[in-house]
Amino acid sequence: MLAQNDIIAPSQTQFQRLFANGQLKMVLIFVPPAILVFTMFVILPMIQAGLFAPYKWSGYGPVPWALNEVTGKDFGRWVGSQNFERMLSHSAFKQAFINTLLVITVSIAIQIPIAMTMALMIYKSSRINTIFRLIFFLPYIMAEVATGLIFSFVLDGNYGLSKSFSDLMGWDKAFFPLAEKPWAFYCILGVIVWKYFGFHMMIFIAGLQSINSEVLEAAKIDGAKTLQTVFLIKLPLLWPSITISVFYAVLGGLQVFDLVMPMTAGGPSNSSHTLVSYLYMFGFIRLNIGYGSAVGVFLFVTGVAFAFLYRNTVQRGQS
Amino acid sequence: MAEVILNQVRKSYGAVEVIPDLSLVIPDGSFTVLVGPSGCGKSTLLRMIAGLEKTSAGQIIIDRENVTGAEPDKRGIAMVFQSYALYPHMSVRQNIGFALRLAKRPKPEIRQRVEEAAEILQLESLLDRKPRELSGGQRQRVAIGRAIVRNPKVFLFDEPLSNLDAALRTQMRVELAELHAKLDATMIYVTHDQVEAMTMADQIVIMKSGVIQQVGQPMELYNQPENPFVAGFIGSPKMNLLEGSLARDQNAAIVGVRPEHISISQESGEWHGKVRHAEHLGSDTVAYIDADDIGSVTVRLQGEVPMKTGSPIWMTPVKGNVHLFRPDGSVERV
Amino acid sequence: MFSWKESGRIIVLLFVSSLILVPLSATVLGGFKTTGEMRVSPFGLPREWITEVYAEILADSSFWRYLWNSFLISILTVALTLIFGSMAAYAFAQAKFFGANFLYSYLLLGLMFPFAAAILPLFLTVRDLGILDTPWGVILPQVAFGLAFSVMFFRTFFAQMPDELFEAARVDGCGYIRFFFLFTLPLSTPILATIATFVFVQSWNNYLLPLIMLNDREGYTWTLGAMDYRGEYSWEWNRTLAFVSATLAPAVVFFLAAQKYIVAGLTGGAVKG
């Protein structure tokens, strides 16, 4: 037995193993569907976005640089970096970018601390805590569109909360926060916190529950008070969960769209756009494929740059 | 250094009573081991002394002070946990010094006391490592260091050796005994392992279902068990607990004889039987014998004794080492 | 002392719960009110329970069609994601082949992708494939975007299965493909359920992809239908709220039934990353 194994060269065994028990057949059947679908609907479109970005093109014809036999011209017109220049100087785009940064800031600075506080309050297993957990998580599973519609009612100056508010203040004119420039986006931010804090809370609860309970008891015996336990033991031990939470907050924040549409659709006067709703309005609705692709490339670069930097700095060393 | 008195303590979770009514004195400077099968309430009792579990009724007195409602850090105790419970994000130095830091001791004092504790436990070279970089035995020592540094009146150990392998466990047993001699502090130690109890304790408390079965020195429990449970729990192999006609004839509920207290002979003896199986351990021979009218009897003999499965054999219990457990609860040794 | 702390905790929790439940209950109750009453008391109980609005929506065939379309798209998305994802993950976990690590990392790229960035070229791809305005135009991109995270979860799960099992089966003459269907899949029901739940919820709630890919009202999902409804009856809030409530009901029931798996998914994400 041993001798036989020694005779066969290692490379040869590896090669044989590839065919053993139909391994190669399995790989050839199992891997391509996923790779194909992923390439076709994720990677190729992203590459195309990069290729279309320097053109002015309405999306008709195969590609912007193909020759149209009827008109004798290309389907699209090469404009170089013009799309990017236009985008960066467009006030609505700047606002959309600022708004997106605001979403991320609020998610990290307000939403995550709220989520952490709630998680610390209800991470222990008990019947009451389970009920609160379900309630706090409920907004997360509701569709953004439904949430947006509900809050456009709540914030409707003729009906909802804001009517109660203006009645209370004795104003005779109805107050429509979603139609007021500084207020509209703050309302969206509030709804984002409302909708997603339960998601982050669940991540923290999972993290808290995986802390060895004897460690917390040891801290108690060492004389740590509630807040000392939180800041000196629990939060440091939750660091991996916090980094994941921040990652989701940023990548999710970059893509806010569904909530904006029912609440403000980007208005009033383009003040409440996010990057994605801006892309939709100015790229898709107007069929400016080149321009929209430029916005997409901007979004892509921002997202990937962040993800890459984050993984290699903050999350480095974590398994 | 302190005496610990438990006075009629009770513990119940809702309707479930874990410890019905328990009183116990743990003398100053003793090494007391609480031992019993899992679920007997020994860990709960230790955690009540620590202040990690509320006491439903009764008093806990440490060093003449009633600490029943006091916070854990105000009781003058330190505890070593089964999982060591080291703070994973802190270095060994920070782990050991954490309690002093919380107590707002000056930095030079913390440094000095941490180093003293490290010296006792030979941890000096590991002070700047993180727990995950330590071996099981080293972690165990850090956990003990964390306890030592607080200068507690009472040390509490919750099955501290159960996560170590057999060789390391034996070594740590010796180290703990030495530490007890050196520090001269009261130590309360919970385990389910009767060997740990016998080797380390100067007082053993045997518990079952929240009730103390017997308290005493190791040899006392071995020689004079007060009931069949204690008799069966202490000693290995287990004491033969024989029922049936043999017991009835001697007016006992159960007759107990330790395997090492039975002699054998080819020719004559009190009981007759056939060898079912024999284990040869070199230093000992353990034989399982089917005795006529009595049932299975375990016999432990010194040295290598040849035994053939199926061969007939005579057994005689050694005089003075037969425990007669009477139906009324009393014990007589003949 | 202790009970003060505890009651303070409960008060905070009840306050936060009310911030969540009041808008939701106003939504459900709103469908039972007249427009006039909604102006006066948007959050209170209805003075008179009006059931016509709900009845009208539930009798509306387009409402049921929206739900059916959403359901069909979600189910097919789940099925394809599970099949493609688990097969690829199995290959990555079980077999050593040239380029395995590269292909796995390639799929994981999808995890750091803001997928909306490529929405315009994606629209053109779907159009050129001739599946615009069909469920497939939504399903295939959803599957593609769900693959990264599902392959990652599947692979972690498969890698934790004991090697001895596969070795024992191999000794008994079981090949890779047969082992996948006879052992791996049946033993993976927890992870299958978790991923299925996540993919389903995401698909059910999706708005951007249907918005871009579906133009024909016949094929609308319920999210598109809800927005349409809002546009149509803009000042009759009771109608919109009733519509939203009627679509939320199945989602909430589903959530309560599947919450175990949702929580498991989040926990897995927190542990792994």
Side-chain angles (χ1 to χ4, degrees):
Chain A
M1 275 296 279
L2 257 177
Q4 222 173 23
N5 266 340
D6 285 344
I7 293 166
I8 300 172
S11 61
Q12 203 180 341
T13 50
Q14 258 177 19
F15 191 67
Q16 285 183 341
R17 257 215 333 255
L18 191 57
F19 292 96
N21 298 82
Q23 184 175 162
L24 187 66
K25 191 170 127 201
M26 182 274 284
V27 169
L28 288 180
I29 296 175
F30 280 19
V31 177
I35 299 290
L36 199 74
V37 171
F38 182 71
T39 308
M40 185 110 179
F41 293 99
V42 178
I43 299 296
L44 276 185
M46 201 58 248
I47 294 171
Q48 286 174 322
L51 297 176
F52 297 163
Y55 286 88
K56 183 169 172 47
W57 183 40
S58 64
Y60 291 103
V63 282
W65 51 86
L67 196 70
N68 185 338
E69 291 186 0
V70 182
T71 62
K73 290 181 192 163
D74 286 350
F75 282 98
R77 184 160 56 84
W78 172 269
V79 293
S81 60
Q82 264 180 38
N83 282 335
F84 288 99
E85 286 158 19
R86 223 180 92 208
M87 173 183 95
L88 292 173
S89 61
H90 190 189
S91 64
F93 175 81
K94 287 186 216 160
Q95 191 59 48
F97 185 55
I98 291 172
N99 286 345
T100 301
L101 291 182
L102 260 178
V103 171
I104 293 170
T105 312
V106 166
S107 298
I108 294 172
I110 297 178
Q111 174 172 267
I112 288 184
I114 292 177
M116 180 64 80
T117 312
M118 292 301 128
L120 285 167
M121 281 188 179
I122 57 173
Y123 79 92
K124 288 189 185 126
S125 304
S126 80
R127 200 169 296 165
I128 295 181
N129 288 352
T130 311
I131 294 171
F132 281 122
R133 259 179 242 165
L134 286 181
I135 294 174
F136 295 170
F137 195 60
L138 195 58
Y140 175 69
I141 57 115
M142 284 169 43
E144 280 80 358
V145 166
T147 312
L149 287 174
I150 290 170
F151 276 93
S152 44
F153 160 69
V154 170
L155 298 168
D156 187 318
N158 284 329
Y159 297 93
L161 183 72
S162 74
K163 173 166 161 48
S164 318
F165 181 71
S166 53
D167 286 354
L168 194 75
M169 301 299 278
W171 296 343
D172 40 2
K173 237 181 81 192
F175 174 51
F176 288 84
L178 290 179
E180 301 272 347
K181 232 181 178 183
W183 288 99
F185 200 71
Y186 292 137
C187 291
I188 293 178
L189 289 174
V191 175
I192 287 175
V193 172
W194 184 90
K195 184 164 183 350
Y196 296 107
F197 86 93
F199 169 77
H200 297 278
M201 180 193 76
M202 282 302 198
I203 293 180
F204 296 145
I205 286 181
L208 282 164
Q209 285 180 337
S210 67
I211 293 179
N212 177 357
S213 64
E214 287 192 345
V215 167
L216 301 178
E217 290 178 348
K220 209 169 165 186
I221 286 185
D222 276 346
K225 299 281 165 283
T226 310
L227 279 183
Q228 287 174 319
T229 311
V230 168
F231 284 103
L232 297 177
I233 309 285
K234 286 178 181 167
L235 289 187
L237 292 184
L238 274 182
W239 185 240
S241 304
I242 295 172
T243 60
I244 284 165
S245 199
V246 167
F247 185 80
Y248 283 136
V250 175
L251 236 59
L254 282 177
Q255 307 195 59
V256 172
F257 171 76
D258 293 10
L259 269 178
V260 176
M261 296 312 283
M263 287 181 72
T264 66
S269 49
N270 291 328
S271 67
S272 67
H273 273 301
T274 59
L275 283 179
V276 180
S277 72
Y278 177 88
L279 191 159
Y280 175 76
M281 282 294 177
F282 292 89
F284 184 76
I285 294 286
R286 301 177 187 191
L287 275 181
N288 267 331
I289 302 294
Y291 188 68
S293 293
V295 179
V297 168
F298 180 84
L299 185 61
F300 172 80
V301 169
T302 316
V304 170
F306 164 77
F308 189 76
L309 274 176
Y310 195 72
R311 299 241 151 182
N312 285 299
T313 54
V314 180
Q315 290 188 315
R316 192 171 54 190
Q318 285 172 22
S319 54
Chain B
M1 287 217 272
E3 186 181 50
V4 178
I5 299 171
L6 307 178
N7 186 14
Q8 294 188 306
V9 295
R10 284 167 195 270
K11 176 70 191 177
S12 47
Y13 298 101
V16 187
E17 197 149 64
V18 188
I19 295 172
D21 178 357
L22 185 147
S23 296
L24 176 67
V25 175
I26 294 159
D28 184 12
S30 83
F31 196 119
T32 294
V33 174
L34 306 178
V35 65
S38 59
C40 73
K42 56 190 190 299
S43 278
T44 309
L45 190 63
L46 191 79
R47 292 164 58 81
M48 284 160 71
I49 299 172
L52 294 172
E53 297 276 356
K54 283 205 171 355
T55 307
S56 306
Q59 287 108 41
I60 294 170
I61 295 155
I62 298 177
D63 198 17
R64 276 167 304 210
E65 203 179 319
N66 186 344
V67 295
T68 315
E71 288 294 310
D73 59 313
K74 301 282 183 287
R75 296 181 173 215
I77 52 107
M79 186 155 170
V80 176
F81 291 87
Q82 185 169 12
S83 66
Y84 319 135
L86 302 182
Y87 309 124
H89 56 300
M90 297 184 193
S91 67
V92 169
R93 183 188 296 281
Q94 290 167 323
N95 260 285
I96 298 179
F98 189 60
L100 301 175
R101 179 177 153 203
L102 291 177
K104 303 217 164 57
R105 310 303 306 172
K107 282 214 170 101
E109 184 195 331
I110 298 180
R111 203 181 168 79
Q112 192 200 338
R113 282 170 69 179
V114 167
E115 273 161 17
E116 277 169 20
E119 199 190 320
I120 295 176
L121 297 160
Q122 291 142 32
L123 287 169
E124 297 104 317
S125 58
L126 305 174
L127 277 176
D128 293 313
R129 295 217 191 152
K130 289 275 175 69
R132 66 167 175 277
E133 300 165 311
L134 303 179
S135 70
Q138 289 167 337
R139 285 178 204 185
Q140 178 64 260
R141 278 210 276 274
V142 175
I144 295 170
R146 205 167 57 180
I148 288 181
V149 80
R150 308 183 54 210
N151 263 331
K153 299 171 187 166
V154 180
F155 284 86
L156 307 175
F157 295 91
D158 189 4
E159 309 222 14
L161 304 187
S162 56
N163 284 339
L164 299 178
D165 62 43
L168 208 52
R169 208 179 304 161
T170 314
Q171 184 197 331
M172 286 305 294
R173 233 155 54 196
V174 176
E175 283 187 26
L176 275 178
E178 285 172 359
L179 190 73
H180 177 236
K182 201 184 303 182
L183 296 174
D184 205 21
T186 311
M187 293 188 171
I188 307 177
Y189 186 107
V190 160
T191 180
H192 63 269
D193 180 352
Q194 56 106 6
V195 177
E196 277 178 28
M198 294 295 281
T199 50
M200 291 194 284
D202 46 38
Q203 172 174 280
I204 296 181
V205 179
I206 298 191
M207 292 179 67
K208 182 189 159 196
S209 320
V211 178
I212 293 180
Q213 300 295 310
Q214 191 171 350
V215 181
Q217 293 167 6
M219 277 307 129
E220 233 171 87
L221 298 185
Y222 178 82
N223 290 322
Q224 291 136 36
E226 280 170 11
N227 58 44
F229 178 79
V230 174
F233 196 82
I234 296 287
S236 173
K238 216 167 126 86
M239 183 189 273
N240 293 298
L241 296 169
L242 308 167
E243 298 174 45
S245 62
L246 176 82
R248 273 199 300 280
D249 291 348
Q250 303 182 63
N251 201 12
I254 292 173
V255 173
V257 192
R258 293 203 182 275
E260 51 270 41
H261 294 152
I262 299 174
S263 62
I264 57 159
S265 152
Q266 303 291 335
E267 291 88 30
S268 66
E270 217 162 288
W271 307 329
H272 180 259
K274 274 198 187 110
V275 177
R276 190 171 76 238
H277 176 67
E279 293 170 351
H280 300 280
L281 305 172
S283 61
D284 295 309
T285 303
V286 179
Y288 302 92
I289 298 167
D290 287 324
D292 308 345
D293 306 328
I294 295 175
S296 178
V297 174
T298 311
V299 178
R300 175 171 159 186
L301 304 158
Q302 283 215 333
E304 168 78 69
V305 182
M307 289 249 180
K308 239 179 88 187
T309 301
S311 61
I313 203 159
W314 288 94
M315 294 165 281
T316 311
V318 177
K319 261 214 150 4
N321 285 306
V322 179
H323 309 260
L324 301 178
F325 298 101
R326 304 286 186 209
D328 64 359
S330 63
V331 197
E332 199 182 323
R333 274 165 268 275
V334 294
Chain C
M1 179 63 183
F2 178 77
S3 67
W4 270 112
K5 214 164 134 187
E6 177 65 10
S7 45
R9 183 182 83 107
I10 298 291
I11 288 170
V12 172
L13 293 175
L14 285 176
F15 173 72
V16 178
S17 303
S18 72
L19 291 182
I20 290 167
L21 294 179
V22 166
L24 293 186
S25 66
T27 304
V28 176
L29 295 176
F32 290 108
K33 293 176 187 170
T34 61
T35 339
E37 196 190 343
M38 299 205 54
R39 278 173 177 274
V40 194
S41 99
F43 295 108
L45 281 176
R47 250 172 313 169
E48 212 180 315
W49 294 75
I50 297 171
T51 50
E52 283 92 19
V53 185
Y54 274 106
E56 216 174 283
I57 288 170
L58 294 180
D60 185 355
S61 67
S62 54
F63 171 76
W64 294 105
R65 202 179 56 239
Y66 295 149
L67 286 189
W68 168 249
N69 290 336
S70 282
F71 182 75
L72 187 76
I73 287 175
S74 303
I75 281 292
L76 287 172
T77 305
V78 168
L80 286 182
T81 310
L82 291 186
I83 294 170
F84 292 172
S86 64
M87 290 196 320
Y90 174 77
F92 293 135
Q94 200 66 268
K96 304 264 175 298
F97 59 94
F98 180 73
N101 278 333
F102 172 77
L103 285 176
Y104 180 59
S105 314
Y106 174 74
L107 278 180
L108 288 197
L109 277 180
L111 280 180
M112 35 171 83
F113 233 76
F115 93 103
I119 198 81
L120 294 185
L122 183 63
F123 165 74
L124 298 180
T125 304
V126 166
R127 183 195 66 185
D128 294 347
L129 286 172
I131 51 174
L132 208 61
D133 253 332
T134 71
W136 295 107
V138 180
I139 294 168
L140 290 175
Q142 284 187 160
V143 171
F145 283 106
L147 274 176
F149 101 101
S150 58
V151 166
M152 185 184 83
F153 271 52
F154 273 129
R155 199 183 97 126
T156 315
F157 191 86
F158 293 162
Q160 282 163 355
M161 286 185 164
D163 284 341
E164 285 89 350
L165 194 62
F166 180 64
E167 280 154 14
R170 250 172 82 164
V171 171
D172 288 342
C174 182
Y176 279 89
I177 294 182
R178 201 127 63 96
F179 183 79
F180 176 70
F181 289 106
L182 290 182
F183 291 88
T184 311
L185 279 189
L187 290 172
S188 307
T189 39
I191 193 76
L192 287 167
T194 298
I195 290 177
T197 309
F198 259 79
V199 172
F200 190 92
V201 169
Q202 262 164 19
S203 168
W204 181 261
N205 291 344
N206 204 343
Y207 175 62
L208 180 56
L209 268 176
L211 178 67
I212 286 190
M213 305 299 176
L214 306 174
N215 291 313
D216 183 2
R217 261 170 158 264
E218 284 296 306
Y220 269 19
T221 61
W222 76 265
T223 46
L224 294 177
M227 287 295 282
D228 224 37
Y229 212 79
R230 164 86 176 108
E232 206 170 317
Y233 300 99
S234 55
W235 299 114
E236 292 177 70
W237 265 118
N238 52 356
R239 283 174 173 274
T240 306
L241 294 183
F243 188 101
V244 169
S245 306
T247 57
L248 275 184
V252 170
V253 170
F254 177 78
F255 164 60
L256 290 176
Q259 46 127 335
K260 191 175 115 192
Y261 298 110
I262 295 180
V263 173
L266 291 174
T267 320
V271 172
K272 242 291 201 173

